[in-house]
Amino acid sequence: MKLIYPMQTAPIAADVPKARKVYFEVFGCQMNKLDAELMLEGLLQKGYHLVHDPEEAGVILYNTCSVRERAEERALMRMASFKRRKKEEPDLILGLTGCVAQHKQDELTEKAPWIDLVVGTREFDRLPELIAEARGSREALLATEMDSPLEFFRQRNLGPNQWHAFVSVMRGCDMVCTYCIVPTTRGKEVSRPPEVILDEVRRLADSGVREITFLGQTVNSYGKRLGAGVGLDTLLRGVEEIDGIERCHFITSHPRFLRPKLIQAMAECSKVMDYLHLPVQSGSDDVLARMKRTYDRSFYLHVIDRLREQIPDITLATDFIVGFPGETEAEFETSLSLIDEVGFDHGYVFQYSPRPGTASADRMLDDIPLEVKKKRNHLLLESLTNQGGIRNQRFVGRQVEVLAEGPSKSNAERWSGRARDHRTVIWDAQADEIAGSFVVVEVDHVSAATLYGNRVAGPRSRPILPCTP
Ligand code: SAH
Ligand code: SF4
Ligand code: F3S
């Protein structure tokens, strides 16, 4: 995933110097997108402006991802393409932020001496001052402390949609999944106090945000070390009371922490979307043990049963990794059978990528050939897509509430938006469509991932159909 900022910026006056113009590209997960927005907010406050064209910019920033080798390589290659310009324009500031910056640190400044700034995942609140410091320095500047008390007073939403905002509830991850670099790049789990988070949500609601996505690497373990009784359910119930916010959901959940109290809050809070992303990674107990996921297949199935007892129609998404070290054909097939057993609406499949510094890369052989990884990837995806298509059929004839996003990318005569369960919905546009409004669409046909139909109510500024429950 690559995202190029800016999103919502005013026209730039002709006399703004190049040194004040920033170009920013973002790779990686939603957390990285939100971090980029927070960095931008800090830069805008200090008089920087955002530009679309790197040629116009005096500061070029890349917020990077380490989760798989390809993501890391792509960002570094893009950065290297500015090497020549840096020679011609010594004042140009090239900055690498995010997970690769945190993970590679001084290795980067040795291998890529044209980089001026390496800013990790817990010090980016200092970005404006670091840029100023880098201007006066011949040496590359490193800001990669892990115990910095990163905290923002966020005033506004700089995301692509004014009616949707990400809100970070925690940073870091305390798990030790053997394949995963995230605990190294993001550090230990730290939860933000609930009142700080809910204040931020209130400010966002006042600025026009209608849908919130709470973010955390194991978002449902939120509240650890905050004292008895504080959990993600506290936040869901808090959002219920905030006027203006109509929908909320949270990513990414870990099966281990999907506890009854949270499921109950999900079932009872009308604003919580009918959608859960619960990565399983594998259907095999042996692979899950080698991954140190802390649960087995039957635990995962048990959690899903408990969830569906309370929220029968919930939309379920998951992640799988194929080609983990030593994954036999029989182990792989248990992932296929898990898909049949659970019934997922959507899923992502990743080919195992050894990340230096993780337990699996250091102690296990990456012994599954690329061709086999590709084949397994294809088979799982095919199964998930078929299942998604079949499960989508239940929506034909139903009326679903949609938060309208804008014209469909493939056909401007249609509009696109998201249902309450995060499914994409497409309908024939009428003259009065408004982005960020609620409409009701009667579904007449479906594909594997999308619902299609006609608008039968709306647009309105508030939800139209009664929220369940
Ligand atoms: N915190 C989330 C996921 C973070 S990474 C969670 O625990 O679920 C997002 C996804 O990338 C993971 O769910 C996993 O499927 C995949 N992933 C992580 N490390 C990987 C690696 N080394 N190779 C391939 N896929 C990986
Ligand atoms: Fe990585 Fe596991 Fe933490 Fe998710 S829970 S971020 S996969 S270590
Ligand atoms: Fe990538 Fe870092 Fe997110 S490694 S997936 S950007 S936490």
Side-chain angles (χ1 to χ4, degrees):
M1 148 66 74
K2 184 176 81 169
L3 195 72
I4 301 181
Y5 281 84
M7 293 307 175
Q8 301 155 24
T9 49
I12 303 172
D15 58 353
V16 170
K18 198 169 187 179
R20 289 268 149 196
K21 292 181 184 166
V22 181
Y23 174 82
F24 207 161
E25 271 188 45
V26 186
F27 295 83
C29 63
Q30 319 292 18
M31 204 91 66
N32 250 20
K33 285 192 215 163
L34 173 60
D35 286 352
E37 289 174 28
L38 297 173
M39 286 185 235
L40 286 182
E41 188 169 348
L43 289 168
L44 296 180
Q45 274 168 9
K46 296 285 179 201
Y48 285 89
H49 299 263
L50 291 153
V51 291
H52 277 289
D53 180 1
E55 289 298 320
E56 280 178 48
V59 180
I60 295 178
L61 298 173
Y62 275 76
N63 202 23
T64 55
C65 171
S66 298
V67 81
R68 283 168 292 275
E69 195 177 354
R70 252 194 45 207
E72 190 167 306
E73 274 171 0
R74 274 174 59 211
L76 292 176
M77 262 163 53
R78 296 278 293 134
M79 199 73 177
S81 70
F82 298 107
K83 190 173 155 185
R84 167 137 19 120
R85 212 179 121 192
K86 175 75 189 171
K87 267 200 192 126
E88 292 159 6
E89 255 179 84
D91 290 342
L92 178 71
I93 296 290
L94 294 175
L96 205 77
T97 62
C99 288
V100 179
Q102 188 66 52
H103 184 44
K104 292 281 167 87
Q105 306 201 8
D106 24 0
E107 188 188 325
L108 278 170
T109 53
E110 276 162 34
K111 280 199 188 144
W114 60 89
I115 294 179
D116 301 285
L117 254 182
V118 176
V119 184
T121 52
R122 298 243 174 142
E123 283 212 88
F124 62 77
D125 48 338
R126 295 176 50 220
L127 196 56
E129 64 185 86
L130 291 167
I131 293 174
E133 217 178 303
R135 286 223 157 87
S137 159
R138 292 279 129 224
E139 302 274 295
L141 220 67
L142 239 70
T144 50
E145 280 299 315
M146 262 301 186
D147 39 16
S148 140
L150 183 71
E151 187 50 85
F152 286 88
F153 182 78
R154 185 174 176 205
Q155 308 256 25
R156 56 176 166 167
N157 172 29
L158 284 174
N161 297 328
Q162 278 148 308
W163 61 91
H164 173 266
F166 293 117
V167 174
S168 159
V169 305
M170 64 195 289
R171 296 205 159 261
C173 178
D174 280 356
M175 305 306 281
V176 288
C177 304
T178 50
Y179 52 82
C180 186
I181 196 69
V182 171
T184 314
T185 64
R186 296 262 165 184
K188 282 275 164 208
E189 187 176 322
V190 183
S191 291
R192 301 172 70 203
E195 57 282 3
V196 172
I197 295 170
L198 293 172
D199 270 352
E200 185 174 312
V201 174
R202 258 178 232 113
R203 282 198 301 279
L204 290 166
D206 291 345
S207 75
V209 170
R210 297 289 164 261
E211 185 182 305
I212 288 289
T213 306
F214 285 132
L215 293 183
Q217 287 298 346
T218 53
V219 68
N220 54 337
S221 71
Y222 168 77
K224 196 169 156 183
R225 306 183 186 105
L226 283 186
V230 179
L232 188 58
D233 54 300
T234 318
L235 299 180
L236 301 185
R237 293 187 191 279
V239 166
E240 210 63 5
E241 307 298 317
I242 297 178
D243 215 28
I245 303 295
E246 309 292 357
R247 290 176 169 189
C248 87
H249 73 115
F250 46 89
I251 45 177
T252 305
S253 295
H254 191 290
R256 164 74 33 204
F257 310 112
L258 201 69
R259 299 186 175 116
K261 203 166 79 148
L262 176 60
I263 296 177
Q264 200 182 338
M266 289 168 68
E268 285 173 6
C269 295
S270 64
K271 294 181 182 176
V272 176
M273 292 169 75
D274 306 321
Y275 167 75
L276 186 72
H277 184 190
L278 197 67
V280 64
Q281 313 299 359
S282 170
S284 150
D285 286 350
D286 289 338
V287 174
L288 289 170
R290 296 205 290 285
M291 289 177 167
K292 287 211 163 66
R293 282 291 287 181
T294 73
Y295 55 85
D296 59 13
R297 180 184 176 109
S298 71
F299 183 89
Y300 188 86
L301 289 169
H302 172 66
V303 163
I304 299 290
D305 281 349
R306 273 203 314 230
L307 183 71
R308 284 188 169 144
E309 269 162 29
Q310 300 263 347
I311 316 170
D313 210 20
I314 192 158
T315 290
L316 258 188
T318 197
D319 294 352
F320 281 99
I321 293 178
V322 289
F324 187 76
E327 186 188 56
T328 62
E329 203 55 34
E331 285 170 344
F332 166 69
E333 276 166 17
T334 61
S335 291
L336 277 172
S337 71
L338 186 82
I339 295 176
D340 291 338
E341 203 166 341
V342 172
F344 292 108
D345 295 278
H346 180 67
Y348 300 91
V349 183
F350 302 103
Q351 294 171 31
Y352 171 69
S353 167
R355 309 308 297 128
T358 60
S360 66
D362 293 350
R363 284 185 239 125
M364 300 176 201
L365 202 61
D366 179 21
D367 56 353
I368 308 300
L370 186 61
E371 281 316 305
V372 177
K373 284 182 185 168
K374 279 190 186 159
K375 194 185 97 209
R376 291 179 182 173
N377 188 346
H378 172 76
L379 287 171
L380 276 194
L381 214 50
E382 190 177 56
S383 171
L384 286 161
T385 308
N386 286 342
Q387 192 168 62
I390 292 166
R391 287 179 57 80
N392 256 357
Q393 288 294 339
R394 69 189 196 275
F395 288 92
V396 175
R398 274 200 211 171
Q399 295 192 348
V400 292
E401 184 153 71
V402 182
L403 184 50
E405 290 184 350
S408 145
K409 284 191 191 99
S410 56
N411 178 353
E413 285 171 13
R414 289 167 154 189
W415 263 52
S416 161
R418 298 269 184 182
R420 283 190 58 81
D421 69 346
H422 211 252
R423 273 190 167 74
T424 300
V425 183
I426 307 248
W427 68 98
D428 292 335
Q430 299 185 24
D432 56 348
E433 304 292 353
I434 308 168
S437 69
F438 291 90
V439 299
V440 175
V441 172
E442 191 166 293
V443 178
D444 55 31
H445 67 287
V446 299
S447 70
T450 310
L451 311 180
Y452 298 87
N454 288 302
R455 199 182 90 186
V456 294
R460 303 251 187 90
S461 58
R462 308 207 73 160
I464 304 162
L465 293 180
C467 287
T468 48

XYZ file of all heavy atoms in Angstrom, residues 270-339:
566
model
N -24.534 0.043 19.586
C -25.138 0.137 18.250
C -24.187 0.758 17.235
O -24.339 0.560 16.042
C -26.421 0.960 18.327
O -26.077 2.273 18.714
N -23.180 1.513 17.703
C -22.283 2.161 16.736
C -21.165 1.244 16.268
O -20.479 1.541 15.296
C -21.684 3.431 17.356
C -22.743 4.496 17.608
C -22.152 5.751 18.203
C -23.254 6.761 18.469
N -22.745 7.974 19.128
N -20.936 0.149 16.971
C -19.853 -0.759 16.578
C -20.257 -1.478 15.297
O -21.344 -2.054 15.210
C -19.560 -1.782 17.695
C -18.513 -2.789 17.239
C -19.065 -1.061 18.943
N -19.399 -1.423 14.297
C -19.718 -2.021 12.997
C -19.732 -3.549 13.095
O -19.060 -4.126 13.957
C -18.707 -1.537 11.955
C -18.874 -0.054 11.678
S -17.541 0.660 10.719
C -17.906 0.033 9.081
N -20.475 -4.157 12.181
C -20.640 -5.622 12.233
C -19.488 -6.291 11.499
O -19.703 -7.014 10.515
C -21.970 -6.017 11.568
C -23.130 -5.261 12.172
O -23.128 -5.079 13.396
O -24.019 -4.826 11.409
N -18.284 -6.018 11.948
C -17.117 -6.462 11.187
C -15.969 -6.736 12.133
O -15.706 -5.951 13.042
C -16.720 -5.337 10.218
C -15.386 -5.483 9.565
C -15.214 -6.399 8.532
C -14.293 -4.712 9.948
C -13.975 -6.539 7.916
C -13.058 -4.845 9.336
C -12.908 -5.762 8.319
O -11.699 -5.909 7.712
N -15.299 -7.863 11.916
C -14.125 -8.142 12.741
C -13.017 -8.752 11.884
O -13.251 -9.706 11.135
C -14.474 -9.119 13.871
C -13.312 -9.337 14.846
C -13.088 -8.115 15.722
C -13.551 -10.566 15.715
N -11.826 -8.176 12.018
C -10.644 -8.735 11.344
C -9.872 -9.498 12.414
O -9.360 -8.896 13.348
C -9.823 -7.589 10.759
C -8.639 -8.064 9.970
N -7.662 -7.224 9.532
C -8.281 -9.299 9.544
C -6.752 -7.912 8.862
N -7.103 -9.174 8.865
N -9.837 -10.825 12.257
C -9.216 -11.667 13.281
C -8.209 -12.619 12.619
O -8.546 -13.760 12.267
C -10.309 -12.464 14.017
C -9.906 -13.062 15.350
C -9.626 -11.977 16.392
C -10.994 -14.006 15.876
N -6.957 -12.141 12.443
C -5.973 -12.965 11.727
C -5.741 -14.297 12.433
O -5.560 -14.334 13.652
C -4.698 -12.112 11.770
C -5.194 -10.718 11.905
C -6.404 -10.824 12.785
N -5.778 -15.384 11.634
C -5.547 -16.711 12.220
C -4.140 -17.200 11.889
O -3.541 -17.934 12.637
C -6.645 -17.710 11.767
C -6.615 -17.951 10.272
C -6.518 -19.028 12.504
N -3.631 -16.837 10.723
C -2.274 -17.145 10.205
C -2.130 -18.571 9.691
O -1.482 -18.784 8.670
C -1.159 -16.842 11.218
C -1.240 -15.497 11.925
C -1.167 -14.275 11.020
O -1.029 -14.388 9.809
N -1.288 -13.082 11.580
N -2.705 -19.560 10.372
C -2.601 -20.938 9.887
C -3.690 -21.781 10.542
O -4.155 -21.455 11.640
C -1.229 -21.517 10.240
O -1.210 -22.912 9.976
N -4.053 -22.880 9.861
C -5.038 -23.789 10.444
C -4.390 -24.937 11.190
O -5.079 -25.784 11.763
N -3.063 -24.983 11.183
C -2.350 -26.133 11.756
C -1.820 -25.821 13.156
O -1.116 -24.827 13.356
C -1.189 -26.493 10.826
O -0.120 -27.045 11.557
N -2.105 -26.723 14.094
C -1.616 -26.516 15.465
C -0.093 -26.462 15.507
O 0.485 -25.671 16.260
C -2.100 -27.649 16.381
C -3.577 -27.496 16.704
O -4.146 -26.429 16.380
O -4.153 -28.446 17.266
N 0.560 -27.304 14.700
C 2.028 -27.320 14.740
C 2.602 -26.018 14.184
O 3.551 -25.462 14.734
C 2.581 -28.514 13.951
C 2.302 -29.816 14.693
O 2.094 -29.750 15.927
O 2.254 -30.874 14.048
N 2.018 -25.541 13.094
C 2.521 -24.275 12.536
C 2.250 -23.133 13.511
O 3.128 -22.297 13.781
C 1.910 -23.983 11.137
C 2.330 -22.610 10.639
C 2.315 -25.056 10.139
N 1.046 -23.125 14.088
C 0.720 -22.057 15.052
C 1.694 -22.086 16.227
O 2.095 -21.031 16.736
C -0.727 -22.197 15.550
C -1.795 -21.849 14.519
C -3.190 -22.260 15.009
C -1.786 -20.349 14.192
N 2.101 -23.294 16.630
C 3.064 -23.396 17.740
C 4.433 -22.874 17.285
O 5.088 -22.131 18.025
C 3.169 -24.843 18.207
N 4.833 -23.206 16.075
C 6.129 -22.704 15.585
C 6.094 -21.175 15.416
O 7.098 -20.497 15.542
C 6.508 -23.361 14.245
C 6.735 -24.865 14.324
C 7.660 -25.344 13.227
N 7.147 -25.314 11.872
C 6.258 -26.172 11.360
N 5.757 -27.146 12.106
N 5.872 -26.072 10.093
N 4.921 -20.681 15.119
C 4.758 -19.216 14.993
C 4.662 -18.540 16.357
O 4.647 -17.316 16.438
C 3.481 -18.885 14.213
C 3.516 -19.188 12.739
S 1.882 -18.808 12.037
C 2.238 -18.859 10.284
N 4.488 -19.326 17.410
C 4.221 -18.811 18.770
C 3.018 -17.860 18.795
O 3.084 -16.749 19.322
C 5.454 -18.085 19.330
C 6.597 -18.993 19.742
C 7.348 -18.350 20.917
C 8.227 -19.261 21.690
N 9.378 -19.848 21.137
N 1.926 -18.330 18.188
C 0.734 -17.479 18.166
C -0.062 -17.540 19.481
O -1.039 -16.815 19.650
C -0.172 -17.868 16.988
C 0.301 -17.344 15.651
C 0.183 -15.837 15.538
N -1.185 -15.374 15.385
C -1.505 -14.091 15.248
N -0.573 -13.155 15.262
N -2.759 -13.730 15.106
N 0.247 -18.456 20.349
C -0.378 -18.596 21.684
C -1.815 -19.142 21.672
O -2.529 -19.018 22.664
C -0.368 -17.290 22.515
O -1.321 -16.377 21.964
C 1.010 -16.643 22.563
N -2.252 -19.674 20.530
C -3.553 -20.367 20.506
C -3.433 -21.508 19.507
O -2.491 -21.544 18.714
C -4.700 -19.421 20.087
C -4.465 -18.735 18.759
C -4.784 -19.349 17.556
C -3.886 -17.473 18.707
C -4.536 -18.729 16.333
C -3.635 -16.843 17.496
C -3.971 -17.493 16.317
O -3.713 -16.883 15.109
N -4.394 -22.425 19.581
C -4.431 -23.471 18.561
C -5.750 -23.365 17.791
O -6.562 -22.476 18.054
C -4.204 -24.863 19.176
C -5.255 -25.178 20.239
O -6.276 -24.454 20.316
O -5.046 -26.132 21.001
N -5.891 -24.274 16.860
C -7.066 -24.223 15.983
C -8.368 -24.277 16.780
O -9.295 -23.505 16.524
C -6.966 -25.409 15.015
C -8.087 -25.524 14.023
C -7.892 -26.795 13.214
N -8.961 -27.036 12.302
C -8.880 -26.928 10.973
N -7.740 -26.585 10.425
N -9.912 -27.173 10.194
N -8.428 -25.150 17.768
C -9.704 -25.300 18.468
C -10.009 -24.047 19.301
O -11.163 -23.665 19.453
C -9.731 -26.571 19.313
O -8.886 -26.411 20.413
N -8.969 -23.388 19.809
C -9.201 -22.134 20.533
C -9.799 -21.091 19.575
O -10.764 -20.390 19.899
C -7.887 -21.613 21.137
C -8.057 -20.365 21.969
C -8.343 -20.447 23.323
C -7.954 -19.099 21.388
C -8.522 -19.285 24.084
C -8.136 -17.944 22.133
C -8.409 -18.041 23.492
N -9.207 -20.985 18.387
C -9.710 -20.010 17.399
C -11.184 -20.306 17.083
O -12.033 -19.401 17.081
C -8.857 -20.059 16.127
C -9.178 -18.951 15.144
C -8.586 -17.698 15.243
C -10.104 -19.163 14.116
C -8.894 -16.677 14.345
C -10.416 -18.149 13.214
C -9.804 -16.908 13.332
O -10.112 -15.896 12.443
N -11.492 -21.591 16.851
C -12.868 -21.958 16.506
C -13.819 -21.651 17.665
O -14.940 -21.164 17.450
C -12.934 -23.455 16.159
C -12.261 -23.820 14.825
C -12.135 -25.334 14.689
C -13.043 -23.236 13.643
N -13.329 -21.864 18.864
C -14.140 -21.598 20.053
C -14.470 -20.095 20.155
O -15.614 -19.699 20.437
C -13.355 -22.091 21.273
C -13.966 -21.732 22.582
N -15.174 -22.250 22.990
C -13.545 -20.901 23.566
C -15.469 -21.744 24.171
N -14.506 -20.917 24.543
N -13.458 -19.277 19.890
C -13.658 -17.818 19.946
C -14.691 -17.379 18.900
O -15.574 -16.556 19.168
C -12.291 -17.110 19.719
C -12.484 -15.655 19.363
C -11.420 -17.233 20.950
N -14.580 -17.967 17.707
C -15.539 -17.611 16.647
C -16.960 -18.036 17.052
O -17.926 -17.303 16.823
C -15.139 -18.288 15.300
C -13.758 -17.815 14.850
C -16.189 -18.052 14.209
C -13.685 -16.390 14.397
N -17.061 -19.203 17.665
C -18.389 -19.649 18.119
C -18.989 -18.666 19.120
O -20.151 -18.287 19.029
C -18.290 -21.022 18.806
C -18.193 -22.139 17.784
O -18.416 -21.867 16.590
O -17.851 -23.276 18.184
N -18.146 -18.262 20.069
C -18.642 -17.315 21.089
C -19.086 -16.009 20.453
O -20.085 -15.401 20.833
C -17.535 -17.028 22.104
C -17.513 -18.031 23.223
C -16.857 -17.481 24.470
N -15.610 -16.800 24.190
C -14.455 -17.017 24.822
N -14.397 -17.909 25.766
N -13.387 -16.346 24.519
N -18.307 -15.564 19.463
C -18.622 -14.322 18.767
C -19.953 -14.449 18.032
O -20.822 -13.573 18.112
C -17.480 -14.039 17.779
C -17.528 -12.764 16.981
C -17.266 -11.578 17.901
C -16.472 -12.792 15.880
N -20.112 -15.558 17.318
C -21.332 -15.721 16.506
C -22.566 -16.011 17.354
O -23.684 -15.746 16.917
C -21.109 -16.805 15.449
C -20.251 -16.267 14.305
C -20.160 -17.243 13.161
N -19.575 -16.636 11.975
C -18.775 -17.275 11.145
N -18.453 -18.536 11.357
N -18.296 -16.668 10.083
N -22.346 -16.522 18.555
C -23.494 -16.676 19.459
C -24.117 -15.322 19.746
O -25.317 -15.160 19.820
C -23.038 -17.262 20.803
C -23.084 -18.771 20.880
C -22.229 -19.272 22.032
O -22.069 -18.538 23.044
O -21.685 -20.389 21.904
N -23.266 -14.312 19.920
C -23.751 -12.971 20.286
C -24.071 -12.125 19.056
O -24.955 -11.288 19.102
C -22.683 -12.225 21.100
C -22.287 -12.899 22.371
C -23.036 -12.324 23.561
O -23.655 -11.275 23.463
N -23.001 -13.025 24.667
N -23.283 -12.291 17.982
C -23.465 -11.450 16.787
C -23.490 -12.390 15.574
O -22.496 -12.537 14.852
C -22.311 -10.422 16.645
C -21.995 -9.762 17.992
C -22.630 -9.358 15.588
C -20.739 -8.928 18.015
N -24.629 -13.046 15.334
C -24.655 -14.130 14.344
C -24.237 -13.702 12.944
O -23.604 -14.469 12.232
C -26.116 -14.588 14.351
C -26.700 -14.056 15.608
C -25.915 -12.848 16.006
N -24.564 -12.483 12.560
C -24.336 -12.089 11.168
C -23.019 -11.338 10.973
O -22.796 -10.726 9.936
C -25.511 -11.205 10.718
C -25.769 -11.346 9.231
O -25.326 -12.368 8.669
O -26.380 -10.436 8.652
N -22.137 -11.390 11.945
C -20.924 -10.564 11.848
C -20.076 -10.959 10.641
O -19.982 -12.137 10.289
C -20.099 -10.635 13.162
C -19.019 -9.555 13.157
C -19.495 -12.032 13.370
C -18.511 -9.178 14.523
N -19.508 -9.958 10.001
C -18.616 -10.194 8.863
C -17.209 -10.431 9.393
O -16.698 -9.647 10.179
C -18.667 -8.969 7.925
O -19.955 -8.971 7.317
C -17.599 -9.003 6.865
N -16.609 -11.530 8.917
C -15.314 -11.949 9.466
C -14.230 -11.902 8.406
O -14.389 -12.470 7.321
C -15.417 -13.402 9.903
C -15.578 -13.745 11.360
C -15.457 -15.246 11.527
C -14.525 -13.049 12.229
N -13.127 -11.254 8.738
C -11.970 -11.246 7.837
C -10.775 -11.835 8.581
O -10.748 -11.853 9.819
C -11.667 -9.819 7.399
N -9.798 -12.324 7.824
C -8.643 -12.927 8.475
C -7.374 -12.744 7.642
O -7.430 -12.219 6.533
C -8.903 -14.426 8.730
O -7.972 -14.906 9.697
C -8.780 -15.259 7.468
N -6.241 -13.128 8.214
C -4.952 -13.181 7.486
C -4.408 -14.598 7.591
O -4.546 -15.241 8.647
C -3.880 -12.296 8.145
C -4.169 -10.815 8.091
O -5.122 -10.409 7.409
O -3.423 -10.055 8.750
N -3.776 -15.055 6.514
C -3.016 -16.307 6.533
C -1.598 -16.029 6.069
O -1.375 -15.171 5.204
C -3.607 -17.318 5.543
C -4.836 -18.019 6.032
C -6.094 -17.592 5.629
C -4.739 -19.130 6.860
C -7.237 -18.253 6.053
C -5.882 -19.789 7.294
C -7.131 -19.355 6.897
N -0.656 -16.778 6.607
C 0.702 -16.788 6.043
C 0.905 -18.174 5.422
O 0.600 -19.187 6.064
C 1.770 -16.543 7.135
C 1.637 -15.115 7.680
C 3.171 -16.770 6.573
C 2.603 -14.777 8.803
N 1.379 -18.209 4.183
C 1.712 -19.512 3.575
C 3.224 -19.623 3.450
O 3.930 -18.626 3.309
C 1.076 -19.688 2.174
C -0.419 -19.868 2.281
C 1.432 -18.544 1.249
N 3.713 -20.876 3.506
C 5.143 -21.111 3.310
C 5.971 -20.771 4.528
O 7.176 -20.500 4.411
N 5.361 -20.825 5.706
C 6.146 -20.650 6.932
C 7.152 -21.808 7.003
O 6.858 -22.905 6.514
C 5.205 -20.659 8.148
C 5.900 -20.318 9.431
C 6.245 -19.005 9.708
C 6.252 -21.311 10.341
C 6.918 -18.679 10.882
C 6.925 -20.995 11.517
C 7.265 -19.672 11.780
N 8.349 -21.588 7.597
C 9.359 -22.652 7.626
C 8.783 -24.007 8.039
O 8.094 -24.111 9.053
C 10.378 -22.134 8.646
C 10.303 -20.655 8.487
C 8.850 -20.358 8.204
N 9.084 -24.997 7.212
C 8.680 -26.371 7.503
C 7.223 -26.684 7.215
O 6.766 -27.778 7.536
N 6.466 -25.753 6.627
C 5.033 -26.014 6.391
C 4.868 -27.160 5.384
O 5.184 -27.012 4.202
C 4.328 -24.753 5.865
C 2.816 -24.916 5.742
C 2.134 -23.736 5.049
O 2.519 -23.408 3.897
O 1.244 -23.136 5.653
N 4.376 -28.287 5.862
C 4.187 -29.440 4.980
C 2.892 -29.265 4.194
O 2.056 -28.414 4.538
C 4.072 -30.739 5.801
O 2.902 -30.612 6.628
C 5.306 -30.980 6.665
N 2.725 -30.125 3.199
C 1.501 -30.083 2.402
C 0.288 -30.336 3.320
O -0.730 -29.660 3.211
C 1.606 -31.154 1.310
C 0.753 -30.931 0.097
C 0.947 -29.584 -0.608
O 2.078 -29.046 -0.637
O -0.067 -29.056 -1.102
N 0.458 -31.287 4.230
C -0.665 -31.634 5.133
C -0.978 -30.442 6.044
O -2.155 -30.127 6.291
C -0.308 -32.853 5.965
N 0.057 -29.758 6.528
C -0.185 -28.579 7.378
C -0.890 -27.485 6.583
O -1.829 -26.843 7.066
C 1.141 -28.064 7.947
C 1.675 -28.933 9.073
C 3.107 -28.596 9.497
O 3.827 -27.899 8.755
O 3.510 -29.054 10.577
N -0.437 -27.282 5.355
C -1.078 -26.274 4.513
C -2.563 -26.593 4.335
O -3.418 -25.708 4.409
C -0.370 -26.188 3.152
C -1.174 -25.438 2.142
C -1.376 -24.072 2.277
C -1.782 -26.106 1.079
C -2.173 -23.379 1.366
C -2.568 -25.413 0.171
C -2.767 -24.057 0.316
N -2.844 -27.881 4.119
C -4.242 -28.252 3.866
C -5.150 -27.969 5.066
O -6.346 -27.731 4.900
C -4.330 -29.715 3.415
C -4.066 -29.764 1.920
C -3.801 -31.146 1.386
O -4.131 -32.120 2.086
O -3.254 -31.230 0.268
N -4.573 -27.930 6.243
C -5.409 -27.584 7.404
C -5.859 -26.116 7.335
O -6.891 -25.753 7.897
C -4.678 -27.812 8.747
O -3.533 -26.974 8.778
C -4.274 -29.258 8.942
N -5.076 -25.278 6.659
C -5.529 -23.885 6.474
C -6.720 -23.866 5.530
O -7.698 -23.141 5.756
C -4.396 -23.005 5.923
O -3.405 -22.836 6.902
N -6.642 -24.690 4.469
C -7.790 -24.765 3.548
C -9.031 -25.281 4.271
O -10.128 -24.723 4.118
C -7.460 -25.720 2.391
C -6.652 -25.133 1.235
C -6.240 -26.237 0.272
C -7.445 -24.067 0.494
N -8.843 -26.290 5.101
C -10.024 -26.854 5.777
C -10.566 -25.883 6.832
O -11.766 -25.849 7.101
C -9.720 -28.230 6.381
O -8.869 -28.092 7.494
N -9.672 -25.062 7.402
C -10.158 -24.071 8.373
C -11.083 -23.055 7.695
O -12.089 -22.622 8.269
C -8.986 -23.343 9.043
C -9.420 -22.399 10.161
C -9.637 -23.156 11.471
C -8.421 -21.277 10.403
N -10.736 -22.690 6.485
C -11.588 -21.739 5.739
C -12.997 -22.330 5.624
O -13.997 -21.660 5.902
C -10.992 -21.436 4.345
C -9.660 -20.706 4.502
C -11.969 -20.621 3.496
C -8.932 -20.431 3.198
